[in-house]
Amino acid sequence: MFQLPAPSKVVCVGRNYLDHIKELNNQIPNAPFFFIKPTTAIVDFAAAIKLPQNLGELHYELELAVWVGKDLKDATLAEAENAIAGYGLGLDLTLRDLQKKLKEKGHPWEAAKAFDRSLPLTKMLDLKDPQNCMIELEINGETRQKDSTSLMLTPILELLVAASKSFTLKSGDILLTGTPKGVGPLKSGDKLEAILNGTNHFKTEVA
């Protein structure tokens, strides 16, 4: 296992599951595109989620997270595979109403995606088959998201390669690989349980 430094950034891919693209009536991208969350977005998964005031609905988006263990720039597939340190789950919290307004104006999404505490993140784990595992989110005991990572439009290694062509991925950085269908708003008092591959369970709640 890699001994990782603190991350310098979180690289997120947009629209990487077809059914999620359809549920938000978005266009299917021709190639993966990325946005960045700063390290101030990262918070322990167990920490209570705080609903921002007067900013509209806060949506959950559960994603497989990939920890980078070696610097990558213009990486090959083999280099990307060799650089992966581990996996986990992240909640890409999104101010959906604000994001919609920004998209309508053609503005960047960061205000709706990159705010403080917008990424509850689990601990890092080993996965034997990360491209064929289940990610699942239950809210108040009801399954809201449950799909296989095999449904990604662009698989993990190709995402790392593509991201490394835009900017250097530093050791300790994290890649979020997109969310499957079933996203929706969070409400005060909601109790969340994220499950990775049926065996790793992580809980949090909305304050």
Side-chain angles (χ1 to χ4, degrees), residues 96-109:
R96 189 70 73 202
D97 295 330
L98 177 57
Q99 184 191 36
K100 182 180 179 180
K101 292 177 182 178
L102 293 169
K103 287 165 61 178
E104 288 172 348
K105 295 178 180 179
H107 291 174
W109 298 355

Side-chain angles (χ1 to χ4, degrees), residues 12-35 61 63 92 94 96 99-100 102-104 106-107 109 113 151-155 159 176-181 183:
C12 312
V13 62
R15 305 177 191 173
N16 202 29
Y17 286 80
L18 182 59
D19 286 345
H20 171 61
I21 295 172
K22 291 178 178 178
E23 74 179 343
L24 294 185
N25 296 314
N26 286 324
Q27 292 184 340
I28 301 172
N30 294 322
F33 67 93
F34 303 96
F35 60 93
E61 297 186 7
E63 310 197 12
D92 174 17
T94 303
R96 189 70 73 202
Q99 184 191 36
K100 182 180 179 180
L102 293 169
K103 287 165 61 178
E104 288 172 348
H107 291 174
W109 298 355
K113 286 279 193 179
L151 297 176
M152 291 181 188
L153 295 179
T154 303
L159 289 175
L176 291 186
T177 56
T179 193
K181 66 181 182 298
V183 303

Side-chain angles (χ1 to χ4, degrees), residues 24-110:
L24 294 185
N25 296 314
N26 286 324
Q27 292 184 340
I28 301 172
N30 294 322
F33 67 93
F34 303 96
F35 60 93
I36 289 177
K37 285 180 183 271
T39 56
T40 50
I42 299 172
V43 65
D44 185 89
F45 195 90
I49 297 169
K50 297 181 179 180
L51 294 176
Q53 299 299 307
N54 303 315
L55 291 174
E57 289 187 345
L58 180 69
H59 279 211
Y60 57 83
E61 297 186 7
L62 186 67
E63 310 197 12
L64 183 72
V66 181
W67 270 262
V68 177
K70 297 180 180 180
D71 291 4
L72 291 175
K73 178 61 180 175
D74 294 324
T76 65
L77 288 171
E79 288 169 339
E81 184 173 21
N82 190 48
I84 294 175
Y87 302 87
L89 292 173
L91 270 179
D92 174 17
L93 298 178
T94 303
L95 292 166
R96 189 70 73 202
D97 295 330
L98 177 57
Q99 184 191 36
K100 182 180 179 180
K101 292 177 182 178
L102 293 169
K103 287 165 61 178
E104 288 172 348
K105 295 178 180 179
H107 291 174
W109 298 355
E110 273 73 10

Side-chain angles (χ1 to χ4, degrees), residues 45 62 89 91 122 136-138 192-196 200-204:
F45 195 90
L62 186 67
L89 292 173
L91 270 179
T122 72
E136 180 177 357
L137 181 66
E138 294 182 358
L192 288 72
E193 182 171 4
I195 307 166
L196 179 57
N200 298 286
H201 296 248
F202 305 94
K203 295 182 180 181
T204 189

